[in-house]
């Protein structure tokens, strides 16, 4: 296996019924990113983009319990899990560009 990923793949797994408009809109946003591929050097920008979207939606829906999302890397497998949003399992998966 390669040591350093060249890209990150947006993987959205499962998902349960959301409880309010805020959660619904954020879940829709994450579904829109499903399957997208980003260069590994842009990883911090991708994470910040997702966190900023949660903040933006918090302001748009002030009557809902605000989202507090972060990313966590649980092990050395380079996977970055979105935490603080239990309705979808969103993971930035490492991907490798292989030239034949």
């Amino acid at each position: 296996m390669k040591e350093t990923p060249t890209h990150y793949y947006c993987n959205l797994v499962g998902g349960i019924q959301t409880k309010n408009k805020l959660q619904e809109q954020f879940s829709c946003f994450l579904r829109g990113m499903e399957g997208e591929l980003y260069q590994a050097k842009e990883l911090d920008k991708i994470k910040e983009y997702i966190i900023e979207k949660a903040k933006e939606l918090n302001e748009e829906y002030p009557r809902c319990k605000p989202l507090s999302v972060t990313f966590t890397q649980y092990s050395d497998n380079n996977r970055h899990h979105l935490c603080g949003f239990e309705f979808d399992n969103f993971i930035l998966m490492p991907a490798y560009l292989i030239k034949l």
Side-chain angles (χ1 to χ4, degrees), residues 9-24:
Y9 174 78
C10 297
N11 187 22
L12 185 65
V13 182
I16 59 174
Q17 184 65 36
T18 55
K19 294 183 179 177
N20 58 44
K21 284 279 194 186
L22 172 60
Q23 293 172 353
E24 182 181 328

Side-chain angles (χ1 to χ4, degrees), residues 58-83:
N58 283 340
E59 291 175 10
E60 189 174 334
Y61 298 97
R63 295 181 63 190
C64 298
K65 180 182 176 185
L67 299 171
S68 179
V69 298
T70 58
F71 280 90
T72 301
Q73 187 175 356
Y74 289 115
S75 63
D76 294 333
N77 61 7
N78 286 323
R79 293 181 183 181
H80 298 265
H81 298 259
L82 181 66
C83 298

Side-chain angles (χ1 to χ4, degrees), residues 32-68:
M33 292 184 72
E34 164 69 27
E36 292 184 353
L37 190 66
Y38 296 95
Q39 292 183 350
K41 65 183 178 183
E42 305 294 331
L43 179 63
D44 290 334
K45 289 180 184 178
I46 299 162
K47 289 180 182 180
E48 187 61 31
Y49 172 66
I50 294 168
I51 291 169
E52 286 301 315
K53 183 62 174 183
K55 290 177 183 176
E56 175 186 313
L57 289 171
N58 283 340
E59 291 175 10
E60 189 174 334
Y61 298 97
R63 295 181 63 190
C64 298
K65 180 182 176 185
L67 299 171
S68 179

Side-chain angles (χ1 to χ4, degrees), residues 1-7 76-78 94-100:
M1 184 173 201
K2 317 293 187 278
E3 297 88 31
T4 306
T6 58
H7 293 78
D76 294 333
N77 61 7
N78 286 323
Y96 305 89
L97 180 63
I98 299 171
K99 296 180 181 180
L100 299 178

